[in-house]
């Protein structure tokens, strides 16, 4: 298919679709650093800056893709909702497809959009697609299912004018894996938390975040089996999203190096997008799974579809594939930095004041890390 990518970021969706054999025709991205990355990595594709100034899609486009801004829909953001300044830009997608309707749409966003304001954002997107004559399906997927050690849950939305979108999103089902014991394995967590949650992930990292709007990086920390606490290198962060090493390096010619963390954290995991691309190229038969009518006003489930007349909820896992990811420590290629003493002290203080459950050795190792780090600084 021929693709137009809106809100393209550093091209996670587009690179994945390209790996599946599809062809980019237009990319739209307003951030200067991300746009520089696109210009270097997609040299034969037209790039425009502001979606609000884009009058229409190219005539030949078969597929419109877009990870529309999530800042107002995520737990880490302001939770202003779909009418927020950033996430409200999704209306630009509907403006453009009213003018020229591509056969297929592929949209992506944070899974929290299904819960925020009782799913108002999802209802707005779904209703807009229905008004334009599209059948749709959505599914929350976990990036670990595609072979990377990052627990990242995102909503993938597929819509089509004529075809059944379930043949893309519901054609594969591996089932949720068993819970893993942390013993002897590295565990990722977010040192910026500690009162309501840890962002805990066994043998993987929790969701990479975009960090602050001014480019202060917010990498997760990793608790190693030997008691060390490290934060990953930006090049491994790129790999944890499925990009080649130094994919975002061109951005440093126009912005601060630290902004690379924001770009990587906001990106779509490449192999997850490649799976969608492979199913767009070769649709499959939807799996048999329990379903029920999705009535107005009821909570949005983790997967659902619209058949042209009625919305349905479906019981399907967040794991389309069962690609076992490599162990976290074996995956990392570059030396991580020790978690700073200031970050470790603040996190431990919040953690011990909370009522959260955590392995006893975790806090003890963190205290020893603080002591060692202080000795080295002295």
């Amino acid at each position: 298919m021929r693709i137009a990518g809106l809100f393209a970021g550093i091209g996670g969706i587009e690179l994945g679709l390209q790996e599946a054999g599809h062809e980019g025709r237009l990319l739209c991205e307003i951030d200067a650093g991300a746009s520089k990355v696109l210009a270097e990595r997609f040299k034969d594709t037209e790039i425009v800056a502001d979606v609000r100034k884009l009058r229409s899609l190219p005539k030949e486009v078969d597929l419109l893709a877009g990870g529309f801004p999530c800042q107002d829909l995520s737990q880490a953001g302001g939770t202003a909702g779909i009418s927020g300044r950033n996430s409200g830009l999704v209306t630009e997608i509907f403006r453009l497809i009213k003018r020229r309707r591509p056969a297929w749409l592929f949209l992506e966003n944070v899974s929290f959009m299904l819960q925020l304001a009782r799913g108002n954002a999802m209802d707005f997107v779904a209703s807009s697609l229905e008004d334009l004559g599209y059948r749709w399906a959505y599914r929350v997927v976990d990036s670990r299912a595609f072979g990377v050690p990052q627990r990242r849950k995102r909503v993938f939305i597929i819509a089509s004018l004529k075809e059944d979108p379930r043949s893309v999103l519901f054609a594969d089902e591996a089932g949720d894996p068993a819970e893993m014991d942390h013993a002897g394995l590295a565990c990722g967590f977010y040192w910026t938390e500690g009162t309501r949650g840890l962002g805990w992930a066994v043998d993987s990292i929790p969701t990479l975040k975009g960090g602050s709007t001014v480019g202060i990086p917010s990498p997760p920390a990793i608790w190693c089996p030997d008691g060390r606490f490290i934060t990953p290198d930006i090049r491994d962060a790129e790999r944890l999203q499925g990009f080649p090493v130094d994919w975002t390096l061109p951005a440093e010619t126009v912005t601060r190096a630290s902004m690379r963390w924001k770009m990587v954290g906001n990106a779509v995991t490449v192999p997850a997008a490649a799976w969608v691309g492979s199913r767009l190229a070769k649709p499959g038969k939807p799996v048999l799974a329990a379903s029920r009518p999705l009535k107005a006003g009821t909570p949005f489930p983790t997967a659902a579809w619209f058949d042209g007349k009625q919305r349905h909820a479906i019981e399907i896992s967040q794991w389309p594939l069962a690609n076992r990811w490599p162990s976290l420590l074996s995956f990392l290629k570059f030396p991580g930095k020790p978690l700073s003493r200031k970050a470790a002290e603040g996190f431990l203080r919040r953690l011990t004041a909370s009522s959260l459950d955590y392995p006893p050795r975790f806090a003890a190792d963190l205290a020893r890390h603080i002591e060692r780090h202080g000795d080295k600084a002295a």
Side-chain angles (χ1 to χ4, degrees):
M1 295 184 184
R2 294 158 295 187
I3 310 159
L6 307 184
F7 313 105
I10 57 173
I13 288 179
E14 293 74 20
L15 180 59
L17 293 175
Q18 181 177 285
E19 289 179 356
H22 305 290
E23 179 184 347
R25 291 298 175 91
L26 174 75
L27 292 172
C28 184
E29 175 54 49
I30 198 168
D31 179 81
S35 184
K36 182 65 174 178
V37 173
L38 295 177
E40 287 293 323
R41 306 307 185 194
F42 300 92
K43 291 183 181 294
D44 297 328
T45 304
E46 179 187 1
I47 298 173
V48 296
D50 193 341
V51 67
R52 295 167 297 183
K53 296 179 180 179
L54 186 63
R55 296 192 62 183
S56 64
L57 299 173
K59 292 181 179 180
E60 69 273 16
V61 164
D62 307 298
L63 169 66
L64 175 65
F68 60 96
C70 67
Q71 293 94 324
D72 302 310
L73 302 175
S74 69
Q75 287 176 292
T79 64
I82 196 65
S83 60
R85 178 182 177 185
N86 293 300
S87 297
L89 288 171
V90 69
T91 56
E92 296 297 327
I93 292 176
F94 303 125
R95 174 183 66 83
L96 288 166
I97 62 177
K98 281 180 182 177
R99 189 181 183 96
R100 181 168 290 141
R101 301 187 186 187
W104 290 89
L105 303 176
F106 173 16
L107 308 179
E108 178 270 355
N109 215 289
V110 295
S111 59
F112 191 62
M113 72 177 287
L114 300 177
Q115 305 171 39
L116 181 63
R118 296 184 61 83
N120 181 57
M122 187 66 238
D123 184 60
F124 175 79
V125 171
S127 297
S128 298
L129 292 173
E130 291 163 12
D131 290 344
L132 290 166
Y134 284 89
R135 298 170 66 183
W136 56 259
Y138 76 78
R139 182 178 186 177
V140 175
V141 297
D142 190 320
S143 289
R144 293 177 295 178
F146 308 98
V148 294
Q150 180 191 183
R151 190 201 65 216
R152 185 182 188 90
K153 299 182 179 183
R154 289 294 186 266
V155 180
F156 282 4
I157 306 168
I158 297 293
S160 177
L161 285 174
K162 297 181 179 180
E163 307 298 330
D164 185 350
R166 294 180 300 164
S167 64
V168 176
L169 284 187
F170 302 159
D172 299 294
E173 167 66 333
D176 293 319
E179 291 292 326
M180 298 175 64
D181 189 285
H182 74 275
L185 297 173
C187 296
F189 67 96
Y190 259 102
W191 52 270
T192 53
E193 301 181 22
T195 55
R196 294 176 297 172
L198 304 181
W200 188 263
V202 177
D203 205 22
S204 55
I205 63 162
T207 305
L208 284 166
K209 299 179 181 179
S212 75
T213 56
V214 294
I216 299 175
S218 182
I222 298 171
W223 176 36
C224 303
D226 62 6
R228 291 179 301 129
F229 288 82
I230 62 173
T231 58
D233 186 282
I234 181 60
R235 293 167 292 183
D236 274 329
E238 291 171 326
R239 296 178 58 244
L240 284 159
Q241 285 281 55
F243 292 99
V245 167
D246 278 334
W247 179 264
T248 58
L249 186 60
E252 292 189 16
T253 62
V254 295
T255 190
R256 294 184 300 278
S258 60
M259 293 298 289
R260 292 171 65 184
W261 281 99
K262 179 182 178 183
M263 297 172 199
V264 172
N266 286 338
V268 176
T269 309
V270 175
W275 163 69
V276 172
S278 67
R279 276 303 180 192
L280 284 165
K282 188 178 180 180
K285 186 177 180 180
V287 299
L288 295 176
S291 63
R292 56 179 171 79
L294 184 58
K295 297 180 180 179
T298 58
F300 280 91
T302 56
W305 90 94
F306 174 70
D307 62 11
K309 295 181 180 180
Q310 172 72 49
R311 297 179 181 180
H312 305 266
I314 183 172
E315 294 182 12
I316 195 168
S317 80
Q318 299 175 20
W319 292 67
L321 308 179
N323 292 330
R324 179 66 177 93
W325 66 92
S327 69
L328 179 56
L329 289 186
S330 69
F331 179 86
L332 301 177
K333 283 187 175 182
F334 303 94
K337 293 181 179 179
L339 182 64
S340 74
R341 180 175 183 174
K342 182 178 179 181
E345 285 179 333
F347 175 75
L348 182 60
R349 187 165 54 248
R350 294 189 301 273
L351 180 64
T352 53
S354 75
S355 59
L356 296 170
D357 291 327
Y358 52 89
R361 194 186 132 220
F362 177 63
D365 278 356
L366 191 57
R368 281 191 287 270
H369 172 84
I370 292 169
E371 184 178 353
R372 288 195 304 270
H373 200 77
D375 291 343
K376 289 179 180 180

